Amino acid sequence: MGVQATIEETSSAVPVISDVTFAELLSDPYPTFKRARELAAVVRIAAANIIIATRYEDIMAMERDAETFSSVNPQSLVNRVMGHTLMRKDGEAHARERKAVEPALRPGAVKSCWAPKLEAIFDGVMAGFETNGEADLFTALAAPMAGRALADVLGFLDVDWQTMALWSQSLIDGAGNYSGDPEISRKATEAARGVEEAIDLALAYHRENPNMSVLSSMIHADDPHTLDQIYANIKVAVGGGLNEPRDSILTLVLGLLENPDQLERVKADTNLWPVAFEESVRWISPIGMYPRRVTRDVVLSGVQLRAGDQIGLCVGAANRDDSRFEDPDRFNVFREKKSHLAFGAGPHFCAGTWVARHMVGRLVVPRLFERLKNLRLRDRTDVRIQGWVFRGPTTLPVVWDV
C-alpha cells in the first residue's frame, strides 16, 4: 500500500458512496468508514461532498509526502475563517511558526507550569458539583475544564469557559461550512473578532511579563509572530484545542464505565491511566479528519487522483482499520500496543498533545474516579455521541454515592 511514484495504467477513478445520509454520518460514521476502507484507498462521500482516505497505511504514506499531499490550500475555509494559520503551511514556513509556539507546550512546561494550574482548575470545577450525586459530565466537568484550561494555556485574561466554548464551536462550524450557510458564517466571523479582541487585551501584559503561555511564547520567540500570525494561530488553537480534551475526557470515562473489568484493573495500577487515554482517542478520535490538497496527478493504492483534488485524511476511520487493530470497534485498554493517528503524524503532529495527555490521562479522569464513589452511568440510553469530522459524547449523565 502507499503512494506510487507514477500513474499506473491499472488505476481507477475515485468510487462514490451515495446511499448514506449526512445525518447517518453524524450519528454513527463507522459503518460507512468500514465500507470506504474495503471499497478503495480513497472514496467520495456524496452526502458530505468530500473525498476521504480511510486506511492507516495510506494516510501514513500521505503524511510522509507533503510535496504531493500539501497542507497549503489558499481556498481553504480555515484560511477564510481564521487567517493563514500554521496548520495550512508546510516546510520552513510551518516549522518557523511551530517553533515559536512549542516552548509553551513541551513536556517540561506541562510538568513545571501547567500541571499545578490544571489541578487548581480541576478542583474548582469539581467543587461545583461533586456533592450533588448526579450530573451530566459534559456540562459539569468536561466543557468547563477544557475551556478554562485552554484560556490559561493560551494566555487570555478574564475569558470565561462559556465564551471559549462558543468561540471554539463557531470557528469549527465556520471552517466546515461548505454549504455556505450565512448564519454559520456570521457566527464564525463574530467569534473570530472576539478572539482578536481578547488577544489585543492580553498582548501588553505578556510583552511586559514573559511567561509560559502560548501568547507569551509567540511574542518572545527568536523569530516572533507578527500580529496576523498571532491572530490566525490562536484562532486555530481555540477552534481545535477545546473539543479534543473535552471529548476525550468523556470518551475515556464512557469506555471505562462500559467495561468495569478494565476500570478495576486500571484503578489498581496507576501506570495504566495513560494507556487508557491513548486507547480512548483511538476508539473515538475527537479530531477525526483534516484536509490535504493534491499537488500533482498521482495514484494512491490504485486510485487515480488529480492535481487540485481536496482530500480529507480520515484518522477517525484509520484508527479503526482492522488491518492494524484487532477488533477495532471495541474499547480495550489491554490491546496490543500500536501507534494511532488521533494526534496526526509528521510535522503537523498536534502541538497540544502533551497538555492533553496530562490533563485527561493523568489528572481529570483518574481523580474523577477517586473522588466520586461508585461512579456509574445513569442510563446508557441517555448517552449521546455525535459527529464525524469532530466526534465525541455530547451528553454523559452519571450518578455516584454521596
Side-chain angles (χ1 to χ4, degrees), residues 118-343:
L118 293 173
E119 186 167 352
I121 292 171
F122 173 73
D123 287 339
V125 172
M126 287 294 296
F129 74 92
E130 67 179 318
T131 61
N132 295 348
E134 64 177 350
D136 182 344
L137 291 182
F138 184 98
T139 52
L141 174 66
M145 182 72 214
R148 290 176 61 182
L150 183 61
D152 271 16
V153 171
L154 293 180
F156 286 155
L157 306 178
D158 299 321
V159 177
D160 60 38
W161 73 263
Q162 294 92 338
T163 300
M164 293 293 294
L166 176 62
W167 286 346
S168 179
Q169 193 61 55
S170 298
L171 291 171
I172 287 171
D173 291 345
N177 187 23
Y178 296 104
S179 66
D181 186 311
E183 181 62 11
I184 292 175
S185 295
R186 184 193 66 78
K187 289 180 179 179
T189 299
E190 191 172 283
R193 188 181 304 114
V195 172
E196 291 181 5
E197 291 172 354
I199 292 169
D200 291 341
L201 287 172
L203 283 180
Y205 172 83
H206 292 298
R207 287 195 181 100
E208 296 170 8
N209 302 276
N211 57 75
M212 292 303 298
S213 72
V214 172
L215 271 171
S216 181
S217 183
M218 288 175 168
I219 295 167
H220 297 287
D222 292 338
D223 185 5
H225 273 37
T226 66
L227 184 59
D228 283 345
Q229 288 171 332
I230 292 172
Y231 283 162
N233 289 330
I234 292 293
K235 285 176 199 170
V236 83
V238 171
L242 190 147
N243 65 298
E244 190 280 333
R246 180 197 67 197
D247 295 350
S248 58
I249 288 169
L250 299 169
T251 296
L252 179 51
V253 172
L254 177 62
L256 291 171
L257 290 180
E258 288 188 325
N259 295 275
D261 56 330
Q262 295 184 47
L263 172 60
E264 291 309 310
R265 291 175 65 183
V266 171
K267 287 166 66 176
D269 182 357
T270 57
N271 292 322
L272 290 172
W273 281 111
V275 180
F277 168 72
E278 299 297 332
E279 171 63 1
S280 72
V281 295
R282 181 211 63 83
W283 181 48
I284 301 177
S285 303
I287 300 175
M289 187 171 70
Y290 47 86
R292 293 291 183 264
R293 177 177 58 89
V294 182
T295 63
R296 64 185 180 92
D297 291 357
V298 69
V299 172
L300 177 68
S301 294
V303 178
Q304 176 71 69
L305 300 174
R306 300 295 183 186
D309 283 346
Q310 309 289 323
I311 296 185
L313 274 58
C314 195
V315 297
N319 283 336
R320 294 203 184 191
D321 187 338
D322 57 12
S323 70
R324 180 170 180 81
F325 303 102
E326 183 178 357
D327 195 9
D329 294 330
R330 178 173 174 248
F331 177 86
N332 180 11
V333 174
F334 304 100
R335 69 173 58 255
E336 180 184 357
K337 185 177 180 180
K338 290 184 177 180
S339 60
H340 57 73
L341 289 168
F343 297 111

Side-chain angles (χ1 to χ4, degrees), residues 25-44:
L25 283 177
L26 292 175
S27 175
D28 182 6
Y30 297 112
T32 302
F33 290 163
K34 182 176 175 61
R35 283 178 60 191
R37 284 194 307 269
E38 293 173 351
L39 184 60
V42 177
V43 174
R44 176 177 290 280

